[in-house]
Amino acid sequence: MDVTLHLAQDPEADELLGRSPLAALTGMLLDQQVPMEWAFKGPRTIADRLGLDDLDAHEIAAQDPEAFAALLSQKPAVHRYPGSMAKRIQQLCQYLVEHYDGNAELVWKGVTDGRELLRRLEELPGFGRQKAQIFLALLGKQLGVRPKGWQEAAGAYGEKGCHRSVADITGPDSLAKVRAHKQEMKAAAKAAKAAGK
């Protein structure tokens, strides 16, 4: 894996995301309740604070939970909820150590069926169906991981030419389109909820 991503809109953070499967998974895990760029900058910040060039699942899984939470809480915090996200990142890394010898790429490497890959992603701690589908779309659209049926398994996120998620961000213009789509979806959900009252 060595591609140029533009999810954090920060060259150093994006460089790490493009070469590190664990960084990409961690950024996806962090992508909730904070701006997308903030979430995907998190892996670089964590690596820097650990004094590493890359994230290491064994290293993170073995960290003292309180010390790791404190590391994420340093200003600027890695996430709006650094304590709970530190716990989730450690759970993800522990799972990867137990099931994939700490190698995040083995979650998808050699998988030949999109549904099987979606199942594997959904099994990761912190990855529900939607997050798994978005990450599957990111793998297919930008990272060259395209097992048979990947677009169908990714659902609407796998569609060509859409701007629904981080899978579709290739620069500032597409980021703006994805952000606009998310705002439209929130407004529609709010209107539907109001109409149902």
Side-chain angles (χ1 to χ4, degrees), residues 82-134:
S84 62
M85 293 314 291
K87 185 177 179 181
R88 287 185 181 186
I89 292 168
Q90 282 196 292
Q91 288 171 340
L92 173 63
C93 289
Q94 287 159 357
Y95 183 90
L96 292 171
V97 167
E98 289 169 18
H99 296 88
Y100 297 100
D101 195 30
N103 185 346
E105 189 175 23
L106 294 181
V107 174
W108 56 84
K109 192 173 184 178
V111 177
T112 58
D113 180 76
R115 288 173 303 183
E116 168 64 13
L117 179 49
L118 179 61
R119 184 190 65 74
R120 286 180 173 209
L121 291 168
E122 285 181 305
E123 288 176 348
L124 297 174
F127 277 68
R129 184 162 190 88
Q130 183 180 31
K131 193 175 284 287
Q133 285 185 311
I134 292 170

Side-chain angles (χ1 to χ4, degrees), residues 39-105:
F40 284 95
K41 193 173 180 178
R44 175 81 266 167
T45 303
I46 295 167
D48 288 347
R49 290 179 185 174
L50 288 171
L52 302 170
D53 184 47
D54 193 356
L55 297 182
D56 182 301
H58 293 278
E59 168 102 12
I60 293 171
Q63 289 279 320
D64 172 74
E66 287 184 21
F68 191 63
L71 184 103
L72 268 68
S73 299
Q74 291 174 20
K75 303 281 185 219
V78 169
H79 194 274
R80 179 178 290 155
Y81 304 107
S84 62
M85 293 314 291
K87 185 177 179 181
R88 287 185 181 186
I89 292 168
Q90 282 196 292
Q91 288 171 340
L92 173 63
C93 289
Q94 287 159 357
Y95 183 90
L96 292 171
V97 167
E98 289 169 18
H99 296 88
Y100 297 100
D101 195 30
N103 185 346
E105 189 175 23

